[in-house]
């Protein structure tokens, strides 16, 4: 099913949660809504589900305007962060719940419900746990039960709100890989909310980066990481260094000293700007001219390299770069750094 949001806005009192959101989701797509707390991502998901209604704008499912439909009439499966399982019910009864509460004319037979429940428990790899209660399961198993329950009603759309937020890092990593495989096998259109950038980049076909109720960028995970559309996206997605500079005559200056940057980096008009680069997109050089001078304050192992942290000369900013194992400078040593890949954004650090 395709989704289209047309100029959606939502206010709570004097707070603007969403401001004129336009978004299209393709059939079968796995879309991530990514952003910090307060960015509007959960409000947007709840409006898509029918748990909230927009102040302005319309919501379309497959071209049909469903803005005013209640959640029960939208055919949506919803998975919450904290599972929302019924503790007094068995796993099987939890999964069956959405089917058993249907009106009599729409309710499958007990035999059909039992078969559907077992099919879904097998799908989420909990086939032999139907008689257990939620308290007897691990967090990861409870989340799988919640997914099975959402799928039981044959939803047109699967929505997930921070589905792994209550789990520890190892379980979260294993489950998100499994969820991607499940999505591909079931073929539903899926939208999930997360503040975890690794989760979004690993799982999604496209990522919607949000901040303060607006969309900063919609793109593939690779483009979001490699070509951030704004300083916010660069800073929020992935690790980054940020340095205040001034652009003058096509050159970036730090304390009136020209910086040697990769070709094509400086494309802004004259004025204050911010220079961004990733820790792995920099190299240590021998010459001071055009480079960033930093005094090393910390070194530590970092996934096959050494992460080096240093304080920039004349600034309060710290920078981090990755250097090969065996080539790390000593704490207290001064080094000269040049970005090998960087991006400039107009404006000062305070906006």
């Amino acid at each position: 099913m395709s989704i289209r949001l047309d100029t959606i806005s939502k206010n709570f009192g004097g707070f603007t949660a969403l401001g004129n959101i336009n978004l299209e989701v393709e059939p079968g797509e796995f879309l991530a809504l990514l952003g910090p707390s307060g960015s509007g991502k959960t409000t947007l998901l709840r409006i898509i589900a029918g748990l909230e209604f927009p102040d302005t704008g319309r919501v379309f499912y497959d071209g049909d305007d469903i803005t005013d439909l209640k959640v029960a009439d939208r055919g949506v499966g919803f998975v919450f962060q904290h599972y929302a399982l019924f503790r007094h019910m068995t796993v099987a009864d939890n999964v069956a719940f959405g089917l058993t509460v249907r009106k009599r004319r729409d309710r499958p037979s007990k035999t059909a419900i039992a078969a559907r429940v077992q099919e879904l428990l097998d799908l989420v790899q909990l086939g032999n746990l139907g008689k257990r209660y939620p308290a007897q399961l691990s967090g990861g198993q409870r989340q799988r039960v919640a997914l099975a329950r959402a799928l039981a009603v044959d939803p047109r759309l699967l929505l997930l709100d921070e589905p792994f937020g209550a789990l520890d890092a190892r379980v979260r990593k294993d489950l998100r890989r499994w969820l991607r495989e499940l999505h591909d096998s079931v073929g539903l259109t899926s939208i999930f909310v997360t503040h975890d950038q690794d989760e979004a980049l690993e799982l999604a076909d496209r990522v919607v980066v949000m901040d303060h109720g607006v969309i900063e960028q919609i793109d593939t995970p690779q483009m979001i990481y490699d070509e951030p559309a704004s300083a916010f996206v660069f800073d929020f997605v992935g690790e980054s260094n940020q340095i205040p500079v001034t652009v003058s005559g096509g050159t970036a200056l730090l304390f009136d000293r020209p910086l040697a940057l990769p070709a094509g980096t400086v494309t802004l008009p004259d004025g204050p700007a911010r220079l961004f680069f990733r820790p792995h997109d920099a190299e240590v050089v021998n010459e001071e001219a055009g480079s960033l001078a930093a005094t090393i304050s910390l070194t530590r192992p970092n996934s096959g390299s050494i992460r080096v942290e240093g304080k920039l000369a004349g600034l309060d900013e710290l920078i981090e770069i990755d250097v090969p194992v065996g080539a790390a400078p000593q704490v207290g040593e001064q080094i000269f750094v040049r970005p090998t890949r960087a991006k400039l954004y107009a404006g000062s650090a305070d906006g």
Side-chain angles (χ1 to χ4, degrees):
M1 183 174 68
S2 66
I3 312 294
R4 181 165 65 87
L5 307 180
D6 185 3
T7 58
I8 295 293
S9 65
K10 181 69 176 179
N11 294 279
F12 296 102
F15 173 72
T16 301
L18 297 171
N20 293 326
I21 297 293
N22 293 286
L23 177 64
E24 295 191 17
V25 187
E26 298 297 326
E29 187 172 24
F30 204 159
L31 188 82
L33 303 179
L34 174 66
S37 297
S39 61
K41 57 191 187 297
T42 293
T43 300
L44 186 60
L45 191 78
R46 291 174 64 84
I47 286 174
I48 294 171
L51 295 169
E52 298 277 358
F53 294 92
D55 295 331
T56 63
R58 312 304 294 174
V59 180
F60 298 87
Y61 285 5
D62 277 341
D64 297 325
D65 187 341
I66 53 84
T67 309
D68 301 321
L69 279 185
K70 297 178 180 178
V71 61
D73 299 322
R74 294 195 183 192
V76 169
F78 205 107
V79 179
F80 298 90
Q81 176 178 343
H82 294 288
Y83 326 126
L85 300 178
F86 299 110
R87 291 179 294 176
H88 65 286
M89 290 185 179
T90 65
V91 165
D93 287 341
N94 266 283
V95 175
F97 180 77
L99 298 173
T100 58
V101 297
R102 283 180 173 175
K103 295 178 180 179
R104 184 180 297 275
R105 68 175 181 271
D106 299 323
R107 190 187 311 151
S109 68
K110 290 184 178 179
T111 301
I113 290 175
R116 177 61 172 161
V117 167
Q118 190 58 51
E119 175 190 1
L120 288 167
L121 288 177
D122 290 338
L123 181 66
V124 299
Q125 302 170 2
L126 298 175
N128 60 342
L129 300 183
K131 294 182 179 180
R132 293 192 183 182
Y133 288 86
Q136 297 173 300
L137 304 180
S138 69
Q141 289 172 328
R142 288 196 291 270
Q143 193 57 285
R144 291 183 188 219
V145 174
L147 277 163
R149 183 179 61 183
L151 294 171
V153 296
D154 293 319
R156 304 165 67 195
L157 174 66
L158 182 63
L159 304 177
L160 307 101
D161 188 9
E162 299 275 7
F164 309 130
L167 304 174
D168 64 50
R170 177 61 184 271
V171 175
R172 207 160 56 231
K173 188 171 183 179
D174 290 342
L175 265 187
R176 68 192 189 209
R177 185 180 302 114
W178 168 83
L179 177 61
R180 179 70 223 201
E181 294 172 354
L182 179 68
H183 167 84
D184 291 341
S185 66
V186 175
L188 282 174
T189 303
S190 303
I191 304 174
F192 73 103
V193 159
T194 183
H195 64 271
D196 185 325
Q197 55 184 277
D198 292 336
E199 198 165 276
L201 296 180
E202 180 178 334
L203 277 174
D205 297 315
R206 287 190 303 154
V207 178
V208 179
V209 183
M210 299 184 65
D211 185 41
H212 290 93
V214 300
I215 293 175
E216 292 276 341
Q217 187 172 358
I218 308 171
D219 222 319
T220 64
Q222 193 69 50
M223 288 298 290
I224 291 286
Y225 187 83
D226 288 342
E227 297 294 338
S230 68
F232 171 81
V233 176
F234 204 126
D235 189 47
F236 187 74
V237 179
E239 299 175 294
S240 65
N241 297 294
Q242 179 181 167
I243 301 168
V245 298
T246 301
V247 173
S248 178
T251 301
L253 306 175
L254 180 62
F255 300 130
D256 297 324
R257 292 188 297 104
L259 293 176
L261 298 177
T265 302
V266 183
T267 59
L268 299 176
D270 290 359
R274 286 175 283 171
L275 173 68
F276 284 80
F277 61 94
R278 309 282 186 198
H280 58 265
D281 288 332
E283 61 183 358
V284 177
V285 296
N286 293 324
E287 63 235 74
E288 182 176 0
S291 63
L292 299 163
T295 301
I296 304 306
S297 57
L298 179 69
T299 66
R300 57 183 169 84
N302 183 59
S303 302
S305 63
I306 300 296
R307 174 64 56 86
V308 173
E309 181 181 290
K311 186 176 184 299
L312 286 173
L315 291 172
D316 292 330
E317 276 78 2
L318 295 172
I319 63 168
E320 293 184 334
I321 66 168
D322 295 329
V323 300
V325 175
Q330 300 298 309
V331 171
E333 182 180 345
Q334 186 180 59
I335 61 172
F336 303 111
V337 176
R338 285 184 186 169
T340 56
R341 180 185 173 95
K343 193 153 187 177
L344 282 167
Y345 298 94
S348 59
D350 57 5

